[in-house]
Amino acid sequence: MTLSAGTELATATNEHLANISNTLIYSAMAVYTLAFFTYIAEWIFGSRSKIGRTAAALTGKAEGAKGKAPAVTVQKAGGTAVLERPKVVVRSAAGARDVPDGPGAHGGDEQGDLYGRIAISLTVLAYLIHLVGVIARAASVERAPWGNMYEFNITFSAVAVTVYLTLLALKKNVRWLGLFLITTVLLDLGIAVTVLYTASDQLVPALHSYWLYIHVSTAILCGAVFYVGAVGTLLYLFKDSYETKLENGGTPGRFATSFLERLPASSSLDKFSYRVNAAVFPLWTFTIIAGAIWAESAWGRYWGWDPKETWAFITWVAYACYLHARATAGWKGRKAAYLALIAFGCWLFNYYGVNIFVSGKHSYAGV
């Protein structure tokens, strides 16, 4: 009777912790939503500050401008200097544009900047609630919270925010990433709590290994960093098209101008994406190796071309091709960027597609 009572108490405690975790995840989503609208307010107020953005670019005070102002034309009209809009300057030696980074989503507007800072504060608050929710889920199942897709999703989104906040703490010019990140986090958590939710349960026997902490944790971190790199790559393609149109004398649309001129220069976005992907690629290589070692321990073979293993390898090859393309003169720029997006698409299919639609030894979706 005592043993039964102890088991019932433990079960009740775990259920209570699971309920706390669910409440915290929903609370984090509510705060993330507030942050989402505040990021939008930052972009809206920034779009109203064309004069502020132009002045920041002309004086070289735009974020990431590295102290260099673009070539400008100054006209004298009745003793008052009229500053024209900055034009794209092309380096004749390297053939690359020498364009300063945009001022950011706030566009040089003080009120926009205030909303941006509030958005960061709300993001930090939501992240802390989110993180405690993940920890509560781990406590409720008495293991790492990575046993099914629901747990993977809530952990993945928390790690993605960790990457973003870490870059901010390191004084990197990434505040422009906030709106895109929080939008994705809300979508990810929304899918997790509605479609992928799985009640707390124990792991299948094959997952009872310390390799769970090594292999899956690195896979989550790699996915989060690959996501950040993919956002930078996508924005690079848009910004590069915008700069090319300006260089050729074209006139981009009003919305494109208001949005894209506040982002970092295409060269900065390109370097950011490359460095992020290059930095995490060795860890993705380790993730695959760790998975092979775990497979030998669990199933008696290192590699069996299981769908998950196959797509993990395809993803590795795709990113290897991207990094190689960056080192090849003829494949820099947009061609390499397309490869990076294809590689991230492979990672997404490896996670969602294989887990949900393909059956194999890695079928732990729980849905």
Side-chain angles (χ1 to χ4, degrees), residues 156-174:
F156 168 80
S157 53
V159 173
V161 179
T162 302
V163 173
Y164 172 60
L165 294 179
T166 300
L167 290 173
L168 283 177
L170 294 174
K171 308 298 183 181
K172 302 298 182 181
N173 176 24
V174 295

Side-chain angles (χ1 to χ4, degrees), residues 166-322:
T166 300
L167 290 173
L168 283 177
L170 294 174
K171 308 298 183 181
K172 302 298 182 181
N173 176 24
V174 295
R175 205 166 91 181
W176 49 267
L177 184 62
L179 177 60
F180 309 100
L181 173 76
I182 297 306
T183 301
T184 306
V185 167
L186 283 172
L187 289 173
D188 183 69
L189 292 178
I191 292 173
V193 300
T194 56
V195 178
L196 302 177
Y197 181 77
T198 304
S200 299
D201 199 1
Q202 295 304 309
L203 292 172
V204 295
L207 294 183
H208 283 285
S209 172
Y210 61 88
W211 283 104
L212 172 70
Y213 297 89
I214 301 173
H215 172 65
V216 182
S217 63
T218 54
I220 292 173
L221 177 58
C222 288
V225 177
F226 282 148
Y227 160 74
V228 171
V231 173
T233 301
L234 188 62
L235 292 178
Y236 155 74
L237 291 173
F238 284 107
K239 189 62 181 283
D240 181 67
S241 296
Y242 171 77
E243 291 177 0
T244 300
K245 193 168 187 177
L246 285 178
E247 183 181 1
N248 294 331
T251 304
R254 183 176 179 182
F255 174 79
T257 299
S258 174
F259 173 74
L260 293 172
E261 69 182 2
R262 286 179 277 164
L263 292 176
S266 62
S267 59
S268 297
L269 290 169
D270 187 39
K271 291 177 183 177
F272 170 78
S273 303
Y274 170 68
R275 290 171 179 172
V276 165
N277 288 324
V280 81
F281 181 73
L283 187 61
W284 181 247
T285 304
F286 170 78
T287 300
I288 296 176
I289 295 173
I293 297 173
W294 188 10
E296 196 280 331
S297 174
W299 303 314
R301 86 310 187 266
Y302 289 100
W303 196 267
W305 294 105
D306 181 79
K308 177 69 72 172
E309 297 169 347
T310 301
W311 276 95
F313 178 68
I314 291 173
T315 302
W316 184 90
V317 171
Y319 274 108
C321 290
Y322 163 70

